[in-house]
Structures are given as C-alpha cells and as structure tokens.
Amino acid sequence: MNLAQFTIHELHEQLKNRKTTSGELTRSVLQRIEAVESRIHAFTTVTAELALAQAEAADRWLRSGRPVHPLTGIPIALKDNLCTKGVRTTCASRILENFVPPYDATVVGRLKESGAVFIGKTNMDEFAMGSSTENSAWGLTANPWDLNRIPGGSSGGSAAAVAADACIAALGSDTGGSIRQPAAMCGVVGLKPTYGRVSRYGLVAFASSLDQIGPLTKDVTDCAILMKSISGSDSFDSTSADVPVENYTGLLNRDLSGLQIGIPKEYFIDGMDPEVLHAVKEAVRTMEKLGAKTREVLLPHTEYAIATYYILATAEASSNLARYDGVKYGSRAKPTKDLLEMYMKTRQAGFGPEVKRRIMLGTYALSSGYYDAYYRKAQCVRTLIKNDFDEAFKQVDVIVTPTAPSAAFKIGEKTKDPLQMYLSDIFTISVNIVGIPAVSMPCGFTQTGLPIGLQIMGRPFAEATVLNAAYAYEQATEWRKKKPNL
Amino acid sequence: MPTQTTTPTQYEMVVGLEVHAQLKTASKIFCGCSTKFGAAPNTQTCPICLGMPGVLPVLNRRVLEMAVKTGLALHCQISPYSRFSRKNYFYPDLPKGYQISQYELPLCEHGYLEVALPAGQAGVNGQIKRIGIHRAHMEEDAGKNLHEGLEAASHVDLNRAGVPLLEIVSEPDIRSVDEAVAYLKTLRDILVYLDVCDGNMEEGSLRCEPNLSLRPVGQKEFGTRVELKNINSFRFVQKAMEYELRRQEKVLREGGRIVQETRLWNTEKEITVVMRGKEEAHDYRYFPEPDLVPLIIPQELIEEVRKTLPELPDSKRERFVREYGIPVYDAEVLTTSKDLAHYFEACVEVYPQPKTVSNWIMTELLRELKNSGQEIADGPIPPDRLAGLLKMIDNGTISGKIAKTVFEEMYRTGRPPEEIVKERGLVQISDEGAIETLIDEVLQAHPDERESYRQGKSQLLGFFVGQVMKRSQGKANPGKVNELLKRKLGET
Ligand SMILES: [Zn+2]
C-alpha cells in the first residue's frame, strides 16, 4: 500500500516506530497529487517546497526522541479560505488572486505547533458560496468516484483530496453544510463543530454567525485527532467558547448501549433518493444492533430553514465582503475615473456570479424598509428552529439523518437553477442555524458506486458523543475500506 | 383704510449636539495597535485594523470601562445588555466597508448634563440648565484620506482606524448658540475630569456635529433640521451655528423652505455648504455585529466603575457653595477644572477664608495664568504660598496693595512671599512714630489743603492718606495712617 493511502493514526504509529519518515510520506503524497491532480483539480496551490521543509523539521523532531504529537509529520491540506502566512490565500476568487496573508489563521498556527505538514490549499466555491465547487474562479473540482460529478461544496477540494489520497487529512469550513455535504459526496468523514468550538480567526468570513472550521478525514479516529488539535478558546475570537475540550480520541470506544437516537420525520421527505433512504435506514438498524435506542423526534420548523439561512447568511456576507474594494489589497480594476467607478469595476471583475447574487440578496435583506420583514424575521425563525432542537435533545442524545437528499450530482446539472442547488443543503443547514455539531460519514454506496452520507447531530459541545456514535457505526461496517478507482 | 401691520415672526433655534470623544486608551478598540497621535502614516496598523480577510475584532476592556464611567458621570442608565452593530458604507478610509458601532442597544441612555449658562443669558449669572443626553455609545474611528501633495492620487492613513470613540448624543434641548457652547465646554470639562478624553478639538479627539433647526416661537413641532460637520474648534462651533442660524432665518423670512441636509463648515470662507441632501443620505444597513458577543454588563462592574468616579463639576460646584459659602458664579469658575478646584481647596485648608481665596484666584491668579499661557498645575505659585501671602495681609505684615505687587513677583520668580517682602523691605510700617513723621511732612507740604480741611472740606482726608501712603512707598499701615491723620488734623 502506498503511504498516501494510510490514515493519520496509522501513519503516526509508523512515524513513531521509525518505519517511515515524514519526508518519505510527504514525497509520496506529492507524487499522488501529481498523478491525480490533472483529473480532479482539488488544489488551488500546492506548497511542495514548504511541505518538504516542514517534513524535514518534523523528522528532526521525530529523531530527537521528544514527545510526538499525533499530527507531527502528517501532510494536511487546507481549504483556500484559511489564511496562511506567506502562502497565497484566494478563497477561489479573482478579487484575492494574489493575496498573501501576513498572518496565520489560529487553526493553522495550532497545526503548525503540532508539527503538521502543509501540502497545499484546496479548491472551493468562491468565498465558500456553493454546494458543488463549481463556483471557483480557478475551475471546478471533480469527484474522485466519478469524474463527471461534483465533489460537493463548498469544501469540495478538501473532500476530493482526502478521498483521492492527495493528502492524509484536510480542513474545511462549514456555513450551511460545506464540510458535511462534500464529505458525503466523496465518501469521507467530515465534522462541523459546535459554533464557538473552533476559533474562526483567519478564516475568511462568509457568514460570521454560521461559519465553523472542521476536519475532513479518512476515518472517525482521524477526525477526533484533528478536532482535538484545532479546538479550544482563542483570545483573538470573541465568539470562541471557553468550554473545556474533551479527549475525543479517548472517548471513541464507548459502546452505544443506552444511547438515544432521534429520527426526525421532517428529514425523510418525498422525492428523496430511495437509495439514500435505504442506506440511512440500514445504518440506523446497525446502530440499534449496537445497543442504541431509536425514537422519532419532531423538528417542525425545518421547512423554514433554507429561507432563514439564505437571509441571514447573505446579509452577513454582503457586509463581510464589503472590504474587497480594491483599496488596500487584492485586485483593483484600472484605469477608473473616480472612486465609485473603481469600486464598481473592481467588484464587477473580481466577484463571480454566485457571490454577486448573494451580496445583492443580503444587501436587500438589510435595506431600510425591508430589515424587519427579512433579517429580523429570520432571526426570530432562527430562535424557533433552535427551540425545536432544544426540545428534541431533551429526549435524545443524537439525531440521525441523511447528509444530503441524493448522492453526487452531475457537473452542470444544477448550475442553471440556484434554487435547486440551494436545496441540496436542506439537511445540513439547520445545524449551522442552531450552532450544534454534526458529522457526516459514509453509510453505503449507490448502485452506480457513489458514496452516501449519514449525518449524526449532537447537543452543543457534545462532539465526543457524536464522534463516539460515528466510531461505533464505522467499526461495525466496512465502508471506509472502499477507495475510488482513479 | 387702516394699514395692516404684522409683527415679524420671531424664530427660536432648536439644537441637538452629537459629540465624538476619543477615549484615552493606550491601544485601539478592537486590536492592540497604539492610539498615539501624529505617527507616520500607516505605522500604527495591523491586519485587524486594516480589515484584512479573516481577522476578528476583540473588545478592549478599557474602552468599556471608560464608556461606563462617562455614562455614569452623565447620569445615564447603563444597559445591562447591549451590543455592537455594523454600520455599512463604502469609503476608502473605512477598511472593512463597515464601522463597528452601536445602534439598537447602546450602552448608555437617558442621561443629562447640567450646564451653567453664561452671563447675560437668561438674566442671571450662573443659572443652571439641564440638557438631556439621549444616548452614548462606543464605536471605532475611521482612517483619514490624504490628498495633499498628491497629483491625481489619494492615499489613506489608517493609523486612526479603530481608535475608540464615544458618541454622545444630546436631546434637542439646546435653544441658543451660547447654550450649545456652554454644553460643549461643560461636557469637555467632564470628559477631562474623568480622564477619559484629552478634549483637544484641533487634534480631533473631540468632535462636534450640531443638528440645528428653527421654529417660530411658540410652535411645538420642530422645524426641518440641518446637520453641520467639519467643525474643529470651539470658536468654529459658535461661528458655524451663528452662520447657520442667520442662513436659515433668512430662508424662512423670504418664504423659503429649509431642506433636510448635511452641511460642511468651510473654515476659510466661514460659511456652511451642502455636503449631501436627504436623497443622498446613506442607507447604513445596520445589523448586529456577529463577530462580537453581546455585552452583558453586570451590576458589580457598574458599581466598581462608580467607585472610581471623581467628584464631578456639578456636585463639586454645589458643595463649594454649601461648604464654603461662596457665590454660585465663583463655584462655577473654580470647578471648571479639577486642578483649579483642588488649588482652591488646598489654599482654603491653610487659610480658611474662602471668599478671599476665591477672589485672589479668580482675579490675580487666573489673569497671570492666562497671560503666561500656563496651566494651574505648572503655575509657579503653589497653594500654600498664596495662603502664606494672604496671612501676611491679615497679620499686618504687608498691605493688600503691596500684596498684589508681591504676588506678581511671586508669579514671575517662583519665590516665596516672605523672602520677597523681606528682601525688598516691603514690611508694613505700623510704628506710630514713623507714621507721624510722615504725616507731619505731608501736612507741612500742603498748607492750603490743610486750611480747606479745617474749614470743613472733610473729603480731603483721602487726599492726605494718599500722600502719606505715597511717601511710605505704600508700606504704611493704611488703618493707622487714617487714625493718626484724623487725630492730627483735629488737633490743629
Ligand atoms: Zn491594529
């Protein structure tokens, strides 16, 4: 087996026991990228030189016999909206084409401290706005399981890279499903942490009250390892929570007896792909066999989630993206006759159509005379949706649903119809609105060989419970062992 | 047919003031950059105040404490739950494309400020008027666009971006230019008293934007208001408002209508010009700032800050009147600055005759300070020396008149009064023999006046006293001179 195919925890053992070196591992991953990148295009920037230098440093550390972090020497890919000091960070947007941040995101800094190796920046929908990675200014990413299909989005590059062994693990960001939906499409594990669990400092903001950074990994154990490394409060992010970080890896092995699983009937809707429905029902049965109890729960305001989301997220985005004005950094249209023209031409040329659409939607929702009807009302509905989940979590420990209504769709299939595209996030969006953690993991394949995703949601800061349930299910099944044929 | 005469409409002005006070913190409101004034452009910046992608604001606790302190001093209610909002607009000096401010839930509301109206106003010296404070909230400052010396280009200096401001909005309770100026001065005194703002209008650490409208006297509804901007000194606040008052009155008298707009004060031409009309007014699309958690202000914090409040000018003024029995006007003057009030009290402690002390400070000391452009804290006469000087008058060592000369010299040289009096031989002559000799000399020199006095022109006594004092170079004890003169003139 090629080194690039292993998981973090497997490679950690090999590195610790001197079976391999980070240098060897990193070269092997870079070779893999070379081999598959022309077909999947998962990266916006590959940082080979930086990676090799970091690998060398990791090897020195490993040889020194000092205590080794589980991530030391492990090649990790970073979504291109995570600021990396000295490394281009584009958000897959022309407006940040040549933006090189003078600072690291907090999560990037934490990974650096643990001795991780940065292999590159991954492709995404521009400013994380999309569900298919088709909205990248640098071209789309293909799904490693079927190159004619989308990898999901917006963290499509990260998910595809993990699935294709073009990195050992990756970080993504999730505003309405942007980690979980691509994880489902690409057959990997992806976790959206509780809002405030992971610092957002250095994550280029899309919708500040919804964004969270999280891991995309080959299995649940890796997900727990990465979560442990990036979690915790940060003095640079006032919205980061001062809640102790649990030992996620240590808590994986608990059995599921006594675990109460909620099945929300609103998430099993007409018109859902029957293969997805079947796979998820089978998964629930497996968990029951492992000792979990299931019951139906009600989340009656689910139908308003998408509308609520597209008001709140676009409103915040319209403001968050105002800084890209051509004045201080990023691209600037030239020549222009005055300030207004500079703003307009810069933003016209710099942003893609989906970003413009959302800026306009958000600007409208916040406009005087419309604020109460849209933004304020959406905030009220947000509270109602939150109450639904509070009620449900009084009865159950986790809620299990499909991650997406269907497996990966074809490239170009939904680009003409934004509303259809928005609906592909129907099962993931509430989690962001409420701010709870949720994981997506493989729970089967369609007859055409496409992965199907299972979503497990938990109470705020109950990542350990969610990962524990995911791990038990994972160990009882073989799905993680299947690899795309690239 | 009788001609119909109508008295011309009298107009009353209605003013509300928006004041932006720069809070005296060492670092900016949401990042660690220095707030020092006058550094080279863009040297006091970081990714956060430059609004780079992905950065987040973190509130400087000192800003909150200073804002609470000011709110308490302005008798505001401090909201237990308050939050920041984003004010969205595009401008090159605004790096994020929005200003973090407070909108729906400001920190301080419903306060007031008591202002002593100046002489001539409302008839009486020192009349107090209460002006409502609508709200006071925290926000960040923007940067500065630079155009000077640049051809076909503008540069931006973001040193000021993120400097903490407290916006203090008054109720439209102000009815004259004098009231507005008095309000502004009192507010500045309080901010300086609290040590939360240096009050320097020229450097922009205190900025004032009046909202001004006129209405016929007796009318209840407000007229259409105009907002004035770009005023950077007390003098210009007065001038700009006076100009605007005349302009609006003229428009109304000629049957015109006031347009709701924002006007800029032009310092060179001393006029106001339209900056933007109502139609061009921004839609700021305020919404709650999601990057900052709501502010929960515990009662304990408020109480803790309350303990740090110094005695404020208004209560100090009341106490001075009550405790020292000095007139309201004196108390008002003496409490305009913390240092001056302290000086007065230190003096009275050594020399417990408040009115005398007050007179000396208000006439002699303030005059000298004004002439030399010094602050009382760096003035050359410490309070115990002034007290010492006053004691020398009381115990007859020097006369009041000589004391003024001594005071001037004390001010000029910084030396103690005893030394000056001794060295220059200014000790008062109280020895009766010596005074009698002087009197004899005077009477001999003025036989005619002496004759007139004897024939009943008793008002000539003053003339003789003056002559004796002159001969003694002012050192003779005037009481004694009087007494002995009367005796001598009566003798003959
Ligand atoms: Zn800064």
Side-chain angles (χ1 to χ4, degrees), chain A residues 371 376, chain B residues 64 77-86 101-110 134-138 286-289 293-297:
Chain A
Y371 182 88
R376 199 187 297 279
Chain B
L64 180 62
Q77 291 170 17
I78 309 296
S79 313
Y81 182 91
S82 147
R83 68 177 313 159
F84 285 97
S85 285
R86 290 188 186 175
S101 181
Q102 295 198 281
Y103 185 60
E104 280 188 328
L105 298 166
L107 182 67
C108 315
E109 283 181 291
H110 315 304
H134 178 59
R135 58 186 279 160
H137 70 251
M138 300 169 280
Y286 283 100
F287 75 104
E289 165 58 286
V293 288
L295 287 166
I296 314 283
I297 316 282

Side-chain angles (χ1 to χ4, degrees), chain B residues 238-483:
Chain B
Q238 185 158 357
K239 287 199 159 184
M241 290 180 64
E242 276 165 358
Y243 174 85
E244 189 56 24
L245 172 67
R246 284 195 306 273
R247 187 191 70 83
Q248 290 191 20
E249 195 165 344
K250 183 161 182 283
V251 171
L252 293 173
R253 290 218 187 285
E254 287 169 359
R257 290 171 68 105
I258 301 298
V259 184
Q260 188 181 330
E261 60 195 5
T262 302
R263 297 177 73 89
L264 283 182
W265 169 248
N266 183 315
T267 310
E268 281 82 48
K269 295 184 186 152
E270 304 206 331
I271 57 168
T272 64
V273 289
V274 183
M275 178 186 157
R276 59 168 177 257
K278 193 185 178 185
E279 311 76 48
E280 301 146 78
H282 294 296
D283 178 359
Y284 290 120
R285 292 173 281 120
Y286 283 100
F287 75 104
E289 165 58 286
D291 285 334
L292 289 164
V293 288
L295 287 166
I296 314 283
I297 316 282
Q299 196 58 35
E300 299 86 76
L301 174 77
I302 297 174
E303 292 316 316
E304 214 168 279
V305 174
R306 202 190 295 277
K307 275 185 217 141
T308 70
L309 276 185
E311 186 185 22
L312 290 163
D314 51 354
S315 44
K316 192 165 266 182
R317 184 185 63 223
E318 281 164 29
R319 182 170 64 83
F320 277 20
V321 171
R322 196 176 61 238
E323 217 167 88
Y324 300 117
I326 56 174
V328 175
Y329 178 74
D330 288 31
E332 175 66 26
V333 172
L334 293 172
T335 52
T336 45
S337 93
K338 218 196 291 198
D339 289 340
L340 188 60
H342 174 78
Y343 188 98
F344 168 76
E345 294 204 279
C347 223
V348 170
E349 202 175 320
V350 188
Y351 180 79
Q353 301 212 34
K355 181 58 188 158
T356 310
V357 172
S358 161
N359 288 346
W360 274 80
I361 291 175
M362 287 178 31
T363 54
E364 307 303 317
L365 183 59
L366 289 183
R367 185 192 63 234
E368 294 295 333
L369 286 170
K370 196 178 167 206
N371 290 345
S372 66
Q374 274 173 304
E375 294 296 326
I376 190 146
D378 356 293
I381 305 183
D384 57 327
R385 288 203 182 158
L386 176 59
L389 178 70
L390 301 182
K391 276 184 179 169
M392 288 172 85
I393 304 172
D394 276 11
N395 64 25
T397 312
I398 53 173
S399 66
K401 193 160 173 226
I402 287 289
K404 292 192 178 171
T405 320
V406 175
F407 181 89
E408 279 162 30
E409 189 157 337
M410 282 166 75
Y411 196 92
R412 210 169 51 244
T413 61
R415 295 165 64 202
E418 297 79 7
E419 216 176 286
I420 296 168
V421 168
K422 198 173 159 198
E423 193 181 288
R424 298 207 18 214
L426 297 173
V427 176
Q428 185 162 263
I429 303 167
S430 298
D431 176 67
E432 296 198 0
I435 294 175
E436 275 180 18
T437 311
L438 289 169
I439 290 174
D440 289 343
E441 283 171 24
V442 167
L443 295 181
Q444 247 158 40
H446 301 282
D448 296 351
E449 286 81 359
R450 190 179 171 182
E451 187 54 32
S452 306
Y453 181 88
R454 211 165 34 203
Q455 284 169 12
K457 263 192 139 179
S458 58
Q459 64 268 45
L460 274 169
L461 181 66
F463 167 77
F464 291 118
V465 172
Q467 290 299 313
V468 174
M469 292 305 291
K470 200 171 164 191
R471 255 168 211 267
S472 75
Q473 292 165 307
K475 290 186 286 185
N477 181 325
K480 280 258 157 64
V481 172
N482 235 307
E483 182 192 325

Side-chain angles (χ1 to χ4, degrees), chain A residues 80-96:
Chain A
D80 207 14
N81 59 355
L82 294 168
C83 286
T84 40
K85 189 175 177 177
V87 175
R88 200 169 75 114
T89 300
T90 72
C91 274
S93 180
R94 288 196 188 285
I95 213 154
L96 287 177

Side-chain angles (χ1 to χ4, degrees), chain A residues 83 99 103 200-203 208 235-239 319-320 322-324 328-329 339 343 363 366-368 371 376, chain B residues 47 50-58 86 88 90-92 95-96 98 104 283 285-288 290-293:
Chain A
C83 286
F99 176 66
Y103 48 94
R200 292 185 294 116
Y201 187 81
L203 164 67
S208 312
S235 60
F236 281 87
D237 177 0
S238 328
T239 65
S319 173
N320 282 332
R323 69 188 64 196
Y324 309 110
K328 310 155 292 268
Y329 48 75
L339 183 63
Y343 285 149
T363 304
L366 290 174
S367 297
S368 113
Y371 182 88
R376 199 187 297 279
Chain B
L50 291 176
M52 289 200 142
V55 300
L56 297 170
V58 174
R86 290 188 186 175
N88 296 284
F90 285 93
Y91 205 62
K96 297 186 293 295
Y98 56 83
E104 280 188 328
D283 178 359
R285 292 173 281 120
Y286 283 100
F287 75 104
D291 285 334
L292 289 164
V293 288

Side-chain angles (χ1 to χ4, degrees), chain B residues 28 31-33 44-50 161:
Chain B
K28 294 185 178 180
C31 66
C33 291
Q44 287 169 180
T45 57
C46 71
I48 296 170
C49 55
L50 291 176

Side-chain angles (χ1 to χ4, degrees), chain A residues 275-392:
Chain A
E275 285 185 298
V276 171
L277 190 63
H278 176 76
V280 172
K281 284 190 167 162
E282 275 305 309
V284 170
R285 259 192 285 281
T286 306
M287 291 169 94
E288 282 174 333
K289 277 185 208 148
L290 293 168
K293 298 270 176 301
T294 53
R295 63 184 295 173
E296 195 179 84
V297 288
L298 295 178
L299 299 171
H301 294 94
T302 298
E303 60 174 309
Y304 306 110
I306 287 195
T308 303
Y309 174 83
Y310 276 96
I311 289 168
L312 298 179
T314 58
E316 291 178 15
S318 71
S319 173
N320 282 332
L321 270 61
R323 69 188 64 196
Y324 309 110
D325 56 6
V327 174
K328 310 155 292 268
Y329 48 75
S331 59
R332 178 193 297 176
K334 278 185 258 205
T336 47
K337 65 177 194 308
D338 59 19
L339 183 63
L340 184 63
E341 197 183 87
M342 182 186 91
Y343 285 149
M344 300 214 301
K345 285 199 167 164
T346 296
R347 288 166 71 81
Q348 194 168 36
F351 291 135
E354 182 61 25
V355 172
K356 285 178 192 157
R357 181 178 298 127
R358 296 198 193 192
I359 289 174
M360 284 190 280
L361 270 172
T363 304
Y364 183 81
L366 290 174
S367 297
S368 113
Y370 298 96
Y371 182 88
D372 286 339
Y374 294 103
Y375 186 84
R376 199 187 297 279
K377 186 149 283 174
Q379 286 291 17
C380 295
V381 180
R382 184 177 200 168
T383 305
L384 294 176
I385 296 172
K386 216 176 215 148
N387 293 345
D388 282 358
F389 277 87
D390 286 349
E391 281 306 310

